[in-house]
Amino acid sequence: MRQLWINNHWSAAIDDATFGVIDPATEEEVGRVPAATRADVDRAMQAAQTAFRDWRRVPAAERAELLHEIARRMREHVENLAVTLTLETGRHIDRNRRYVLWSADVFDYYAELGRNDRGRVIPSVEASQLALVLKEPYGVVVCIVPWNYPMLLLAWKIAPALAAGNTVVIKPASQTPLATLDLAHCFEHLPPGVVNIITGSGGTVGDALVTHPATSVIAFTGSTEVGQRIAGLAAERMTKVHLELGGKDPCIIAADADIRTAALGVAWGAFVNAGQVCTSIERIYVERPVYRDFCDCLAELTAGLRVGSPFDPATQITPLIGSRERDAVLAQIEQAQAQGARVVAGGRRPPQLDLGFFLEPTVLVDVPYTATIMREETFGPVAPVAPVEDFEQALALANDSRYGLGASLFTHDPRKAKRFYEEIKAGTVWINDPLTDNLAGPFGGMKQSGIGRELGEEGLAEFLETKHVHWDFEMQPKPWWYPYGDK
Ligand code: NAP
Ligand code: MG
Protein backbone atom coordinates (compact mmCIF):
# COMPACT_ATOMS: atom_id res chain seq x y z
CA MET A 1 0.00 0.00 0.00
CA ARG A 2 1.43 3.33 -1.02
CA GLN A 3 0.84 6.50 0.97
CA LEU A 4 0.43 10.22 0.43
CA TRP A 5 3.62 12.33 0.27
CA ILE A 6 3.02 15.47 2.36
CA ASN A 7 5.70 17.67 3.92
CA ASN A 8 8.36 14.97 3.20
CA HIS A 9 6.42 12.32 5.16
CA TRP A 10 4.38 9.31 4.05
CA SER A 11 0.87 9.19 5.50
CA ALA A 12 -2.46 7.48 4.93
CA ALA A 13 -5.58 9.46 4.07
CA ILE A 14 -7.20 10.90 7.19
CA ASP A 15 -10.13 8.46 6.95
CA ASP A 16 -7.90 5.54 5.82
CA ALA A 17 -9.86 5.02 2.57
CA THR A 18 -8.02 3.51 -0.43
CA PHE A 19 -8.65 2.55 -4.05
CA GLY A 20 -7.12 -0.03 -6.41
CA VAL A 21 -5.15 0.42 -9.64
CA ILE A 22 -5.73 -1.96 -12.58
CA ASP A 23 -3.16 -3.20 -15.10
CA PRO A 24 -4.79 -2.53 -18.52
CA ALA A 25 -2.95 -5.50 -20.08
CA THR A 26 -4.05 -8.14 -17.53
CA GLU A 27 -7.04 -6.52 -15.75
CA GLU A 28 -5.41 -7.39 -12.41
CA GLU A 29 -5.05 -5.04 -9.46
CA VAL A 30 -1.41 -3.94 -9.25
CA GLY A 31 -1.52 -1.55 -6.31
CA ARG A 32 -3.59 0.46 -3.86
CA VAL A 33 -3.34 4.13 -2.92
CA PRO A 34 -5.07 6.44 -0.43
CA ALA A 35 -8.36 8.05 -1.45
CA ALA A 36 -7.65 11.46 0.06
CA THR A 37 -10.27 13.89 1.30
CA ARG A 38 -10.55 17.67 1.58
CA ALA A 39 -8.83 17.50 4.97
CA ASP A 40 -5.79 15.83 3.34
CA VAL A 41 -5.79 18.53 0.67
CA ASP A 42 -5.69 21.13 3.47
CA ARG A 43 -2.62 19.40 4.97
CA ALA A 44 -0.82 19.36 1.64
CA MET A 45 -1.70 22.96 0.81
CA GLN A 46 -0.60 24.11 4.26
CA ALA A 47 2.76 22.35 3.83
CA ALA A 48 3.30 23.87 0.37
CA GLN A 49 2.31 27.34 1.53
CA THR A 50 4.68 27.24 4.50
CA ALA A 51 7.54 25.84 2.39
CA PHE A 52 7.13 28.63 -0.17
CA ARG A 53 8.36 31.29 2.29
CA ASP A 54 11.88 29.84 2.28
CA TRP A 55 11.94 28.07 -1.10
CA ARG A 56 11.38 31.32 -2.99
CA ARG A 57 14.54 32.71 -1.34
CA VAL A 58 16.84 29.77 -2.11
CA PRO A 59 19.58 31.12 -4.41
CA ALA A 60 19.06 30.11 -8.05
CA ALA A 61 22.35 28.22 -8.21
CA GLU A 62 21.45 26.14 -5.17
CA ARG A 63 18.00 25.42 -6.56
CA ALA A 64 19.60 24.35 -9.85
CA GLU A 65 21.71 21.76 -8.01
CA LEU A 66 18.63 20.42 -6.20
CA LEU A 67 16.81 20.02 -9.53
CA HIS A 68 19.79 18.26 -11.11
CA GLU A 69 19.73 15.89 -8.15
CA ILE A 70 16.07 15.03 -8.95
CA ALA A 71 17.15 14.14 -12.50
CA ARG A 72 20.03 12.04 -11.22
CA ARG A 73 17.76 10.07 -8.88
CA MET A 74 15.22 9.50 -11.68
CA ARG A 75 17.93 8.00 -13.88
CA GLU A 76 19.08 5.86 -10.99
CA HIS A 77 15.53 4.50 -10.50
CA VAL A 78 14.64 4.33 -14.20
CA GLU A 79 13.97 0.59 -14.24
CA ASN A 80 11.59 0.52 -11.26
CA LEU A 81 9.75 3.62 -12.41
CA ALA A 82 9.39 2.27 -15.98
CA VAL A 83 8.04 -1.08 -14.76
CA THR A 84 5.50 0.62 -12.50
CA LEU A 85 4.45 2.96 -15.30
CA THR A 86 3.98 -0.04 -17.59
CA LEU A 87 1.84 -1.86 -15.01
CA GLU A 88 -0.48 1.10 -14.52
CA THR A 89 -0.62 2.62 -18.04
CA GLY A 90 -0.19 -0.49 -20.22
CA ARG A 91 2.34 1.44 -22.33
CA HIS A 92 5.34 -0.42 -23.69
CA ILE A 93 8.23 -0.85 -21.24
CA ASP A 94 10.79 0.46 -23.76
CA ARG A 95 8.84 3.66 -24.23
CA ASN A 96 8.40 4.08 -20.48
CA ARG A 97 12.16 3.82 -19.96
CA ARG A 98 12.59 6.52 -22.58
CA TYR A 99 9.93 8.70 -20.94
CA VAL A 100 11.48 8.45 -17.48
CA LEU A 101 14.84 9.47 -18.95
CA TRP A 102 13.24 12.24 -20.92
CA SER A 103 11.40 13.46 -17.80
CA ALA A 104 14.79 13.57 -16.06
CA ASP A 105 16.12 15.70 -18.93
CA VAL A 106 13.27 18.15 -18.29
CA PHE A 107 14.58 18.72 -14.74
CA ASP A 108 18.11 19.26 -16.04
CA TYR A 109 16.84 21.68 -18.66
CA TYR A 110 14.88 23.85 -16.21
CA ALA A 111 17.62 23.61 -13.58
CA GLU A 112 19.82 25.53 -16.02
CA LEU A 113 17.12 27.84 -17.39
CA GLY A 114 16.26 28.82 -13.81
CA ARG A 115 19.75 30.27 -13.35
CA ASN A 116 19.03 32.95 -15.96
CA ASP A 117 17.55 36.40 -15.68
CA ARG A 118 14.68 37.25 -13.35
CA GLY A 119 13.54 40.40 -15.09
CA ARG A 120 15.23 43.49 -16.44
CA VAL A 121 16.16 47.10 -15.80
CA ILE A 122 14.01 49.56 -17.75
CA PRO A 123 14.65 53.29 -18.35
CA SER A 124 13.54 55.29 -15.33
CA VAL A 125 11.49 58.49 -15.48
CA GLU A 126 14.21 60.63 -13.76
CA ALA A 127 17.98 60.20 -13.48
CA SER A 128 17.78 59.70 -9.70
CA GLN A 129 15.62 56.62 -10.02
CA LEU A 130 15.85 52.94 -10.72
CA ALA A 131 13.08 51.06 -12.54
CA LEU A 132 12.97 47.29 -12.44
CA VAL A 133 10.80 44.60 -13.93
CA LEU A 134 10.89 41.61 -11.59
CA LYS A 135 9.84 38.05 -12.38
CA GLU A 136 8.68 36.33 -9.18
CA PRO A 137 7.23 32.92 -8.30
CA TYR A 138 3.47 32.85 -7.68
CA GLY A 139 3.30 30.60 -4.61
CA VAL A 140 1.65 27.17 -4.55
CA VAL A 141 1.17 25.56 -7.97
CA VAL A 142 -1.43 22.80 -8.14
CA CYS A 143 -0.57 20.23 -10.83
CA ILE A 144 -3.37 17.96 -12.09
CA VAL A 145 -2.25 15.34 -14.58
CA PRO A 146 -4.00 12.73 -16.82
CA TRP A 147 -3.19 9.03 -17.14
CA ASN A 148 -1.74 8.92 -20.64
CA TYR A 149 1.71 10.39 -19.80
CA PRO A 150 1.73 10.53 -15.99
CA MET A 151 5.43 11.27 -15.50
CA LEU A 152 6.29 13.32 -18.55
CA LEU A 153 3.35 15.72 -18.21
CA LEU A 154 4.16 16.05 -14.52
CA ALA A 155 7.81 16.91 -15.26
CA TRP A 156 6.72 19.54 -17.79
CA LYS A 157 4.87 21.28 -14.95
CA ILE A 158 6.84 20.82 -11.77
CA ALA A 159 10.36 21.26 -13.19
CA PRO A 160 9.70 24.84 -14.38
CA ALA A 161 7.39 25.59 -11.41
CA LEU A 162 10.12 24.61 -8.91
CA ALA A 163 12.90 26.28 -10.92
CA ALA A 164 10.88 29.50 -10.78
CA GLY A 165 10.67 29.22 -6.96
CA ASN A 166 7.12 27.94 -6.53
CA THR A 167 6.13 24.96 -4.37
CA VAL A 168 3.80 22.28 -5.76
CA VAL A 169 0.94 19.98 -4.85
CA ILE A 170 0.48 17.15 -7.36
CA LYS A 171 -2.64 15.13 -8.11
CA PRO A 172 -2.11 12.22 -10.52
CA ALA A 173 -4.99 10.62 -12.44
CA SER A 174 -6.82 7.89 -10.51
CA GLN A 175 -5.82 5.25 -13.08
CA THR A 176 -2.08 6.04 -12.75
CA PRO A 177 -1.02 7.21 -9.27
CA LEU A 178 1.65 4.55 -8.55
CA ALA A 179 4.78 5.77 -10.31
CA THR A 180 3.94 9.35 -9.31
CA LEU A 181 3.96 8.38 -5.61
CA ASP A 182 7.18 6.38 -6.14
CA LEU A 183 8.73 9.49 -7.63
CA ALA A 184 8.66 11.00 -4.14
CA HIS A 185 11.97 9.17 -3.51
CA CYS A 186 13.49 11.57 -6.03
CA PHE A 187 12.24 14.55 -3.97
CA GLU A 188 13.43 13.44 -0.51
CA HIS A 189 16.43 15.80 -0.63
CA LEU A 190 14.20 18.87 -1.11
CA PRO A 191 13.09 20.97 1.89
CA PRO A 192 9.83 19.63 3.42
CA GLY A 193 6.67 20.81 1.70
CA VAL A 194 8.27 21.90 -1.58
CA VAL A 195 6.74 18.89 -3.38
CA ASN A 196 3.57 17.17 -2.13
CA ILE A 197 1.68 14.31 -3.82
CA ILE A 198 -1.93 13.56 -3.07
CA THR A 199 -4.09 10.83 -4.64
CA GLY A 200 -7.86 10.65 -4.88
CA SER A 201 -10.72 11.39 -7.22
CA GLY A 202 -10.97 14.41 -9.48
CA GLY A 203 -14.35 15.30 -8.01
CA THR A 204 -13.02 15.40 -4.41
CA VAL A 205 -9.25 16.02 -4.38
CA GLY A 206 -9.14 17.78 -7.77
CA ASP A 207 -12.00 20.07 -6.88
CA ALA A 208 -10.59 20.83 -3.40
CA LEU A 209 -7.22 21.79 -4.93
CA VAL A 210 -8.77 23.97 -7.62
CA THR A 211 -10.96 25.88 -5.15
CA HIS A 212 -8.42 26.08 -2.29
CA PRO A 213 -7.70 29.67 -1.14
CA ALA A 214 -3.93 28.96 -1.02
CA THR A 215 -3.76 27.89 -4.69
CA SER A 216 -1.91 30.47 -6.79
CA VAL A 217 -1.70 28.62 -10.12
CA ILE A 218 -3.58 25.61 -11.50
CA ALA A 219 -1.54 23.70 -14.07
CA PHE A 220 -3.89 21.17 -15.62
CA THR A 221 -3.62 18.64 -18.44
CA GLY A 222 -6.72 16.67 -19.31
CA SER A 223 -10.00 16.86 -21.14
CA THR A 224 -11.48 20.09 -22.46
CA GLU A 225 -14.64 19.49 -20.40
CA VAL A 226 -12.80 19.31 -17.06
CA GLY A 227 -10.53 22.18 -18.18
CA GLN A 228 -13.57 24.38 -18.81
CA ARG A 229 -14.97 23.56 -15.39
CA ILE A 230 -11.62 24.39 -13.73
CA ALA A 231 -11.33 27.68 -15.63
CA GLY A 232 -14.82 28.64 -14.43
CA LEU A 233 -13.99 27.91 -10.79
CA ALA A 234 -10.61 29.64 -11.07
CA ALA A 235 -12.28 32.80 -12.35
CA GLU A 236 -14.02 33.23 -8.98
CA ARG A 237 -10.67 33.81 -7.24
CA MET A 238 -8.75 35.06 -10.30
CA THR A 239 -6.42 32.07 -9.90
CA LYS A 240 -4.03 31.77 -12.82
CA VAL A 241 -4.77 28.76 -15.01
CA HIS A 242 -2.54 26.86 -17.33
CA LEU A 243 -4.57 24.40 -19.41
CA GLU A 244 -3.42 21.68 -21.82
CA LEU A 245 -6.59 20.12 -23.19
CA GLY A 246 -7.97 17.89 -25.91
CA GLY A 247 -7.24 17.89 -29.61
CA LYS A 248 -8.40 16.61 -33.00
CA ASP A 249 -5.14 16.94 -34.87
CA PRO A 250 -5.27 17.00 -38.67
CA CYS A 251 -2.61 15.59 -41.00
CA ILE A 252 -2.38 16.53 -44.69
CA ILE A 253 -0.72 14.32 -47.29
CA ALA A 254 0.22 16.47 -50.29
CA ALA A 255 0.27 14.92 -53.77
CA ASP A 256 4.08 15.25 -53.99
CA ALA A 257 4.74 13.38 -50.69
CA ASP A 258 6.54 10.06 -50.58
CA ILE A 259 3.60 7.76 -49.87
CA ARG A 260 5.35 5.07 -47.86
CA THR A 261 7.12 7.61 -45.65
CA ALA A 262 3.82 9.41 -45.09
CA ALA A 263 1.97 6.16 -44.28
CA LEU A 264 4.66 5.18 -41.78
CA GLY A 265 4.51 8.65 -40.21
CA VAL A 266 0.72 8.52 -39.95
CA ALA A 267 0.78 4.99 -38.46
CA TRP A 268 3.21 6.27 -35.83
CA GLY A 269 1.26 9.48 -35.18
CA ALA A 270 -2.12 7.75 -34.97
CA PHE A 271 -1.21 4.54 -33.13
CA VAL A 272 1.65 5.33 -30.73
CA ASN A 273 0.52 4.68 -27.15
CA ALA A 274 -2.58 3.06 -28.74
CA GLY A 275 -3.63 6.49 -29.95
CA GLN A 276 -3.98 7.80 -26.39
CA VAL A 277 -1.98 10.93 -27.07
CA CYS A 278 -3.47 14.42 -26.99
CA THR A 279 -1.58 15.18 -30.24
CA SER A 280 -2.48 11.92 -31.98
CA ILE A 281 -3.15 12.25 -35.69
CA GLU A 282 -6.94 11.99 -35.75
CA ARG A 283 -8.01 13.18 -39.22
CA ILE A 284 -6.07 12.57 -42.43
CA TYR A 285 -6.72 14.56 -45.60
CA VAL A 286 -5.04 13.16 -48.72
CA GLU A 287 -4.79 14.93 -52.09
CA ARG A 288 -6.82 12.97 -54.60
CA PRO A 289 -3.99 11.85 -56.97
CA VAL A 290 -2.31 9.83 -54.20
CA TYR A 291 -5.40 8.92 -52.16
CA ARG A 292 -5.81 5.27 -53.21
CA ASP A 293 -2.09 4.49 -52.95
CA PHE A 294 -1.89 6.10 -49.52
CA CYS A 295 -4.96 4.22 -48.19
CA ASP A 296 -3.62 0.88 -49.48
CA CYS A 297 -0.18 1.47 -47.99
CA LEU A 298 -1.54 2.58 -44.58
CA ALA A 299 -3.98 -0.38 -44.44
CA GLU A 300 -1.21 -2.86 -45.24
CA LEU A 301 1.17 -1.40 -42.67
CA THR A 302 -1.55 -1.31 -40.03
CA ALA A 303 -2.67 -4.90 -40.57
CA GLY A 304 0.94 -5.97 -39.93
CA LEU A 305 1.25 -4.21 -36.54
CA ARG A 306 1.52 -6.51 -33.56
CA VAL A 307 -0.89 -6.07 -30.64
CA GLY A 308 0.16 -7.54 -27.31
CA SER A 309 1.79 -7.31 -23.90
CA PRO A 310 3.69 -4.10 -23.08
CA PHE A 311 6.51 -6.28 -21.72
CA ASP A 312 6.96 -8.19 -25.04
CA PRO A 313 9.77 -6.62 -27.12
CA ALA A 314 7.88 -7.47 -30.34
CA THR A 315 4.70 -5.60 -29.36
CA GLN A 316 3.83 -2.47 -31.30
CA ILE A 317 0.28 -1.77 -30.09
CA THR A 318 -0.46 -1.85 -26.35
CA PRO A 319 -3.86 -1.81 -24.59
CA LEU A 320 -6.14 1.13 -23.90
CA ILE A 321 -6.41 2.39 -20.33
CA GLY A 322 -9.80 0.82 -19.50
CA SER A 323 -12.75 -1.18 -20.81
CA ARG A 324 -15.02 1.88 -20.80
CA GLU A 325 -12.49 3.81 -22.88
CA ARG A 326 -12.03 0.88 -25.29
CA ASP A 327 -15.79 0.46 -25.73
CA ALA A 328 -16.17 4.19 -26.39
CA VAL A 329 -13.64 3.95 -29.24
CA LEU A 330 -15.37 0.85 -30.66
CA ALA A 331 -18.65 2.79 -30.60
CA GLN A 332 -17.00 5.68 -32.48
CA ILE A 333 -15.78 3.23 -35.16
CA GLU A 334 -19.27 1.77 -35.53
CA GLN A 335 -20.84 5.18 -35.75
CA ALA A 336 -18.34 6.20 -38.46
CA GLN A 337 -19.32 3.13 -40.51
CA ALA A 338 -22.99 4.03 -40.12
CA GLN A 339 -22.08 7.51 -41.41
CA GLY A 340 -20.41 6.15 -44.57
CA ALA A 341 -16.80 5.20 -43.64
CA ARG A 342 -15.24 1.84 -44.55
CA VAL A 343 -12.92 -0.18 -42.27
CA VAL A 344 -9.88 -1.39 -44.24
CA ALA A 345 -7.78 -2.56 -41.26
CA GLY A 346 -8.60 -3.53 -37.66
CA GLY A 347 -11.90 -2.33 -36.25
CA ARG A 348 -12.36 -4.90 -33.49
CA ARG A 349 -10.92 -6.39 -30.29
CA PRO A 350 -8.08 -8.78 -31.14
CA PRO A 351 -9.68 -12.27 -30.98
CA GLN A 352 -6.49 -13.91 -29.68
CA LEU A 353 -6.37 -11.74 -26.50
CA ASP A 354 -9.00 -12.62 -23.89
CA LEU A 355 -7.79 -10.34 -21.14
CA GLY A 356 -6.73 -6.72 -21.31
CA PHE A 357 -8.29 -3.64 -22.89
CA PHE A 358 -6.82 -4.22 -26.35
CA LEU A 359 -8.14 -2.89 -29.65
CA GLU A 360 -6.76 -3.54 -33.12
CA PRO A 361 -5.28 -0.47 -34.83
CA THR A 362 -7.94 0.68 -37.24
CA VAL A 363 -7.93 2.47 -40.59
CA LEU A 364 -11.17 4.06 -41.81
CA VAL A 365 -11.32 5.34 -45.41
CA ASP A 366 -13.78 7.44 -47.43
CA VAL A 367 -14.81 9.10 -44.18
CA PRO A 368 -17.25 12.00 -44.78
CA TYR A 369 -15.86 15.35 -43.57
CA THR A 370 -18.94 15.80 -41.39
CA ALA A 371 -18.73 12.34 -39.75
CA THR A 372 -18.57 12.54 -35.95
CA ILE A 373 -15.18 10.78 -35.95
CA MET A 374 -13.74 13.71 -37.97
CA ARG A 375 -14.95 16.21 -35.36
CA GLU A 376 -14.86 14.68 -31.87
CA GLU A 377 -11.72 13.54 -30.07
CA THR A 378 -10.93 9.79 -30.33
CA PHE A 379 -8.65 8.43 -27.61
CA GLY A 380 -7.68 5.19 -29.34
CA PRO A 381 -5.76 3.70 -32.30
CA VAL A 382 -7.96 4.96 -35.14
CA ALA A 383 -6.85 6.65 -38.37
CA PRO A 384 -9.79 8.13 -40.34
CA VAL A 385 -8.84 9.12 -43.92
CA ALA A 386 -10.64 11.30 -46.47
CA PRO A 387 -9.71 12.47 -50.00
CA VAL A 388 -9.46 16.19 -50.84
CA GLU A 389 -9.46 17.90 -54.26
CA ASP A 390 -6.48 20.15 -53.52
CA PHE A 391 -4.21 21.55 -50.82
CA GLU A 392 -6.43 24.61 -50.21
CA GLN A 393 -9.40 22.39 -49.40
CA ALA A 394 -7.24 20.30 -47.05
CA LEU A 395 -6.09 23.47 -45.25
CA ALA A 396 -9.65 24.74 -44.85
CA LEU A 397 -10.80 21.38 -43.45
CA ALA A 398 -7.79 21.16 -41.14
CA ASN A 399 -8.75 24.52 -39.61
CA ASP A 400 -12.44 23.63 -39.33
CA SER A 401 -12.31 22.40 -35.71
CA ARG A 402 -12.91 23.72 -32.21
CA TYR A 403 -9.47 22.35 -31.31
CA GLY A 404 -6.02 23.69 -32.23
CA LEU A 405 -3.40 21.53 -30.52
CA GLY A 406 -1.08 20.04 -33.19
CA ALA A 407 -1.11 19.64 -36.97
CA SER A 408 1.12 17.81 -39.43
CA LEU A 409 1.88 17.81 -43.14
CA PHE A 410 3.81 15.60 -45.53
CA THR A 411 5.27 17.48 -48.52
CA HIS A 412 8.53 18.48 -50.19
CA ASP A 413 6.92 21.60 -51.67
CA PRO A 414 8.20 24.63 -49.71
CA ARG A 415 5.23 26.76 -50.88
CA LYS A 416 2.77 24.30 -49.32
CA ALA A 417 4.89 23.92 -46.19
CA LYS A 418 5.09 27.70 -45.62
CA ARG A 419 1.44 28.26 -46.40
CA PHE A 420 0.60 25.47 -43.92
CA TYR A 421 2.59 26.77 -40.97
CA GLU A 422 1.39 30.33 -41.57
CA GLU A 423 -2.31 29.51 -41.91
CA ILE A 424 -2.87 26.59 -39.54
CA LYS A 425 -4.36 27.43 -36.14
CA ALA A 426 -2.39 24.97 -33.99
CA GLY A 427 0.15 25.25 -31.18
CA THR A 428 2.57 22.75 -32.74
CA VAL A 429 3.19 22.18 -36.46
CA TRP A 430 5.11 19.14 -37.69
CA ILE A 431 6.28 18.97 -41.30
CA ASN A 432 7.36 15.46 -42.43
CA ASP A 433 8.05 14.25 -38.88
CA PRO A 434 4.89 14.13 -36.73
CA LEU A 435 4.76 13.98 -32.92
CA THR A 436 8.39 14.76 -32.28
CA ASP A 437 8.97 16.63 -29.00
CA ASN A 438 11.73 19.09 -28.28
CA LEU A 439 12.60 20.29 -24.75
CA ALA A 440 13.17 23.79 -26.08
CA GLY A 441 10.01 23.80 -28.20
CA PRO A 442 6.95 25.29 -26.45
CA PHE A 443 3.98 22.92 -26.41
CA GLY A 444 0.31 23.81 -26.02
CA GLY A 445 -2.95 24.49 -27.73
CA MET A 446 -4.83 27.23 -29.54
CA LYS A 447 -8.64 27.58 -29.54
CA GLN A 448 -10.30 25.08 -27.15
CA SER A 449 -7.10 23.02 -26.83
CA GLY A 450 -5.86 25.19 -24.02
CA ILE A 451 -4.21 28.26 -22.57
CA GLY A 452 -0.45 28.66 -22.06
CA ARG A 453 2.63 26.70 -23.09
CA GLU A 454 4.82 24.02 -21.51
CA LEU A 455 8.49 23.38 -22.31
CA GLY A 456 10.94 25.94 -23.66
CA GLU A 457 11.43 29.39 -22.17
CA GLU A 458 7.66 29.92 -22.34
CA GLY A 459 7.23 26.95 -20.00
CA LEU A 460 9.22 28.74 -17.29
CA ALA A 461 7.54 32.11 -17.90
CA GLU A 462 4.15 30.50 -17.10
CA PHE A 463 5.25 30.17 -13.47
CA LEU A 464 6.70 33.65 -13.03
CA GLU A 465 4.62 36.71 -12.21
CA THR A 466 5.60 40.23 -13.24
CA LYS A 467 6.20 43.14 -10.83
CA HIS A 468 7.29 46.68 -11.76
CA VAL A 469 9.44 48.48 -9.14
CA HIS A 470 9.91 52.27 -9.26
CA TRP A 471 12.56 53.55 -6.81
CA ASP A 472 13.60 57.17 -6.27
CA PHE A 473 16.88 57.59 -4.30
CA GLU A 474 16.55 61.32 -3.61
CA MET A 475 13.00 61.58 -2.33
CA GLN A 476 12.66 65.10 -3.71
CA PRO A 477 9.38 66.77 -2.77
CA LYS A 478 7.21 67.17 -5.83
CA PRO A 479 5.99 70.75 -6.17
CA TRP A 480 2.55 69.71 -7.40
CA TRP A 481 1.97 67.04 -4.82
CA TYR A 482 0.11 68.48 -1.81
CA PRO A 483 0.97 68.30 1.11
CA TYR A 484 4.64 67.77 0.19
CA GLY A 485 4.72 70.67 -2.27
CA ASP A 486 6.86 73.81 -1.52
CA LYS A 487 5.32 75.57 1.45
P1 NAP B 1 -9.69 14.12 -17.45
O1 NAP B 1 -10.82 13.24 -17.23
O2 NAP B 1 -9.94 15.54 -17.75
O3 NAP B 1 -8.74 13.98 -16.16
C1 NAP B 1 -7.51 14.65 -16.06
C2 NAP B 1 -7.19 14.90 -14.60
O4 NAP B 1 -8.16 15.77 -14.04
C3 NAP B 1 -7.22 13.64 -13.74
O5 NAP B 1 -6.19 13.73 -12.77
C4 NAP B 1 -8.58 13.73 -13.11
O6 NAP B 1 -8.67 13.01 -11.90
C5 NAP B 1 -8.71 15.20 -12.87
N1 NAP B 1 -10.08 15.68 -12.69
C6 NAP B 1 -11.23 15.08 -13.11
N2 NAP B 1 -12.29 15.83 -12.74
C7 NAP B 1 -11.81 16.90 -12.08
C8 NAP B 1 -12.41 18.04 -11.44
N3 NAP B 1 -13.74 18.22 -11.44
N4 NAP B 1 -11.61 18.95 -10.87
C9 NAP B 1 -10.28 18.80 -10.88
N5 NAP B 1 -9.65 17.75 -11.44
C10 NAP B 1 -10.40 16.81 -12.05
O7 NAP B 1 -8.78 13.60 -18.64
P2 NAP B 1 -8.37 12.09 -18.91
O8 NAP B 1 -9.58 11.41 -19.47
O9 NAP B 1 -7.71 11.53 -17.74
O10 NAP B 1 -7.26 12.30 -20.06
C11 NAP B 1 -7.58 12.37 -21.39
C12 NAP B 1 -7.74 13.81 -21.85
O11 NAP B 1 -6.56 14.56 -21.61
C13 NAP B 1 -7.94 13.90 -23.34
O12 NAP B 1 -8.96 14.84 -23.62
C14 NAP B 1 -6.60 14.39 -23.87
O13 NAP B 1 -6.66 15.05 -25.10
C15 NAP B 1 -6.16 15.28 -22.78
N6 NAP B 1 -4.71 15.45 -22.81
C16 NAP B 1 -4.21 16.66 -23.21
C17 NAP B 1 -2.84 16.85 -23.28
C18 NAP B 1 -2.26 18.17 -23.70
O14 NAP B 1 -1.10 18.42 -23.40
N7 NAP B 1 -3.00 19.05 -24.32
C19 NAP B 1 -1.98 15.82 -22.94
C20 NAP B 1 -2.51 14.59 -22.54
C21 NAP B 1 -3.89 14.44 -22.47
P3 NAP B 1 -9.32 11.55 -11.85
O15 NAP B 1 -8.42 10.69 -12.69
O16 NAP B 1 -9.27 11.20 -10.43
O17 NAP B 1 -10.69 11.65 -12.42
MG1 MG C 1 -11.52 11.48 -18.89
Side-chain angles (χ1 to χ4, degrees), residues 211-476:
T211 53
H212 202 282
T215 298
S216 298
V217 182
I218 303 160
F220 170 82
T221 300
S223 59
T224 295
E225 292 63 34
V226 175
Q228 283 165 333
R229 185 187 149 74
I230 288 176
L233 290 169
E236 288 171 23
R237 288 182 195 275
M238 290 298 150
T239 309
K240 170 163 165 116
V241 287
H242 173 98
L243 304 170
E244 303 282 350
L245 310 176
K248 188 72 197 171
D249 287 9
C251 176
I252 298 175
I253 317 297
D256 71 284
D258 175 71
I259 292 309
R260 193 173 157 76
T261 309
L264 278 166
V266 166
W268 158 258
F271 304 144
V272 65
N273 200 25
Q276 302 169 112
V277 185
C278 48
T279 50
S280 272
I281 292 177
E282 294 202 11
R283 324 178 258 147
I284 301 128
Y285 302 111
V286 188
E287 286 198 63
R288 182 77 75 182
V290 293
Y291 179 66
R292 280 293 146 212
D293 282 353
F294 175 83
C295 291
D296 292 347
C297 190
L298 181 62
E300 194 196 317
L301 268 173
T302 303
L305 293 174
R306 196 163 150 163
V307 186
S309 162
F311 287 104
D312 179 347
T315 293
Q316 289 158 308
I317 306 290
T318 48
L320 273 68
I321 192 74
S323 60
R324 196 167 47 89
E325 287 78 359
R326 189 234 355 248
D327 294 344
V329 178
L330 273 169
Q332 284 176 304
I333 294 170
E334 261 174 45
Q335 185 186 35
Q337 288 174 278
Q339 293 173 341
R342 285 191 301 122
V343 172
V344 293
R348 55 177 192 170
R349 298 170 61 171
Q352 73 280 16
L353 295 166
D354 297 337
L355 282 176
F357 311 124
F358 295 95
L359 181 61
E360 287 182 347
T362 301
V363 179
L364 291 165
V365 299
D366 304 342
V367 187
Y369 305 141
T370 52
T372 316
I373 205 150
M374 293 301 239
R375 309 202 66 82
E376 287 178 8
E377 187 174 37
T378 327
F379 233 52
V382 184
V385 195
V388 289
E389 296 318 315
D390 55 28
F391 184 72
E392 287 305 313
Q393 189 194 7
L395 192 52
L397 286 165
N399 269 330
D400 180 19
S401 170
R402 72 178 172 123
Y403 294 113
L405 193 54
S408 46
L409 166 68
F410 285 88
T411 190
H412 292 299
D413 182 341
R415 284 159 303 190
K416 285 183 178 171
K418 185 161 186 283
R419 186 145 168 73
F420 184 65
Y421 72 67
E422 284 178 353
E423 292 297 321
I424 193 79
K425 206 74 174 139
T428 305
V429 178
W430 289 287
I431 299 167
N432 298 330
D433 188 20
L435 271 70
T436 298
D437 288 312
N438 177 345
L439 277 179
F443 177 91
M446 296 184 180
K447 299 196 267 186
Q448 290 182 35
S449 288
I451 299 173
R453 293 292 179 270
E454 299 187 311
L455 295 178
E457 292 175 15
E458 286 79 358
L460 182 65
E462 290 285 326
F463 298 108
L464 289 165
E465 190 162 36
T466 302
K467 182 186 280 176
H468 170 204
V469 177
H470 171 85
W471 178 10
D472 194 317
F473 316 120
E474 300 198 345
M475 254 195 300
Q476 289 295 335

Side-chain angles (χ1 to χ4, degrees), residues 35-179:
T37 59
R38 278 183 183 268
D40 297 300
V41 168
D42 283 339
R43 288 197 291 142
M45 291 301 300
Q46 177 74 55
Q49 208 180 6
T50 306
F52 177 64
R53 290 185 211 134
D54 291 332
W55 179 247
R56 63 172 304 186
R57 301 193 187 289
V58 171
E62 200 178 308
R63 207 147 52 207
E65 290 313 317
L66 291 168
L67 292 190
H68 283 308
E69 176 62 16
I70 297 174
R72 196 194 63 72
R73 290 175 182 223
M74 288 176 77
R75 293 192 184 99
E76 188 184 350
H77 297 294
V78 57
E79 199 54 33
N80 284 343
L81 290 170
V83 167
T84 304
L85 279 170
T86 303
L87 290 174
E88 63 185 348
T89 62
R91 199 199 352 269
H92 201 275
I93 180 76
D94 290 344
R95 300 220 63 79
N96 281 326
R97 285 193 194 100
R98 261 183 59 125
Y99 282 118
V100 174
L101 297 176
W102 202 48
S103 303
D105 292 346
V106 176
F107 283 94
D108 281 336
Y109 175 78
Y110 282 110
E112 290 307 306
L113 215 55
R115 291 181 194 267
N116 288 348
D117 54 321
R118 276 302 147 82
R120 59 194 191 274
V121 180
I122 56 171
S124 52
V125 182
E126 302 285 345
S128 64
Q129 300 166 343
L130 183 64
L132 303 170
V133 177
L134 301 184
K135 298 287 177 181
E136 299 183 337
Y138 281 87
V140 180
V141 176
V142 160
C143 304
I144 302 178
V145 184
W147 45 264
N148 62 342
Y149 288 89
M151 194 160 295
L152 195 65
L153 296 173
L154 183 61
W156 290 8
K157 292 171 181 52
I158 66 174
L162 295 176
N166 303 278
T167 57
V168 301
V169 178
I170 297 161
K171 191 204 102 60
S174 293
Q175 293 97 329
T176 58
L178 304 178

